[in-house]
Structure formats: C-alpha cells, structure tokens
Amino acid sequence: MRILKLSCLVAVVCLLTGCGERETPVRTNTATGENVTLRTGRAIAPPTNLPNFAPLYPGARIESVLEGNGSAGERGAMVAFQTGDPPDRVAAFYRTRLDASGLSERSDVNMNGSVILAAGSKGDIDRGVQITITPATDAPGSYVTLTYNLGDG
C-alpha cells in the first residue's frame, strides 16, 4: 500500500510539473549579492533583459531560461530553445543581428553541422553573446542555446 501511495504521488508530481512554467526561487549569495533564477516548462517567458544584439529567434519554443545578476552589477542569461528551422537559417538570422550590433570581436565556427557564433565588445569584455545551434536529431529543425552578458551597464 505504501508503494502504491508513493507511486501515485510521483505520478501526480510528474503530471503537474509538465504543465506551464516552473520557476525555481531566486538563489542569492548573501556574501556577494549574486542571484540566479531558473525557469523550465512548456510556456516559458523569455528573459526580461534580452538585448537587441541577441533577440529570441522568431517562432522559438523556449525550453529553459536561466537569468542572473552579478555582484558588480553585470546581468545576463542563458536561453535554450527549439525551432523548426535548420541551423543555417538560424545562423543567418543571428549573423545579421551581430553585424548590426557593434560587437567587434567575432567568431563563427561550423563543426559537423553545428554552428557556434560568438561576439564581444572590445571596450567592455563583460558584454557579449554566444549562440550554439545544433541540428535536431528527433525532428526537423534546430536546438539553440543563447548565452549573453550585458556587462555592468
């Protein structure tokens, strides 16, 4: 009977966690003031501080968002999402944004179909973005991880 109750509890928790957005409480390091928030689920809002140089890809299905603030005032996030578009189309979208960004330090790597784009500011080493685009293996499209730091501005 105890195993049946535990199994039912686990099933209910699994069903409930599959719905909507889940957010972990803000974790704060009291010594430094640094904090981080993780959101996962099906209907996740994008980060509140997405920069113009790293917008969310049109039609993206967000899987998780990790936002944080550092002790020196820097802000950033990591967004993991899927899209039905192939890596080359996603990469072209972000290359256009990076071209217009003013971020002068650039890297563009293609390895076995995966694309890694990175850009940074020569005058502010804490301001930049890295975008990793990988072909999806279970359906047409791409998996994308967008990581950015806005520096202390």
Side-chain angles (χ1 to χ4, degrees):
M1 186 64 150
R2 188 173 179 191
I3 292 175
L4 180 59
K5 286 181 183 178
L6 181 59
S7 298
C8 288
L9 178 62
V10 168
V12 168
V13 168
C14 288
L15 287 172
L16 290 177
T17 57
C19 301
E21 182 176 325
R22 296 183 311 275
E23 183 171 317
T24 62
V26 173
R27 303 286 185 199
T28 302
N29 181 333
T30 55
T32 64
E34 297 171 337
N35 66 63
V36 66
T37 303
L38 173 65
R39 295 191 311 271
T40 61
R42 291 194 180 151
I44 303 171
T48 56
N49 61 4
L50 269 170
N52 291 336
F53 60 81
L56 193 60
Y57 189 77
R61 292 179 307 279
I62 300 174
E63 296 178 345
S64 64
V65 173
L66 180 67
E67 286 185 82
N69 295 307
S71 59
E74 62 277 286
R75 305 169 329 264
M78 182 182 76
V79 184
F81 61 88
Q82 282 186 284
T83 177
D85 290 338
D88 59 338
R89 186 175 299 162
V90 178
F93 171 84
Y94 282 109
R95 284 184 187 110
T96 300
R97 297 319 178 276
L98 294 177
D99 287 346
S101 71
L103 298 172
S104 59
E105 306 299 306
R106 298 274 298 272
S107 174
D108 191 326
V109 178
N110 189 327
M111 291 190 311
N112 300 321
S114 293
V115 179
I116 302 169
L117 305 172
S121 172
K122 193 171 191 172
D124 182 358
I125 61 170
D126 291 328
R127 185 171 180 266
V129 62
Q130 179 175 315
I131 305 150
T132 304
I133 309 158
T134 306
T137 55
D138 55 348
S142 305
Y143 298 113
V144 182
T145 303
L146 173 68
T147 307
Y148 62 89
N149 190 352
L150 299 173
D152 58 6

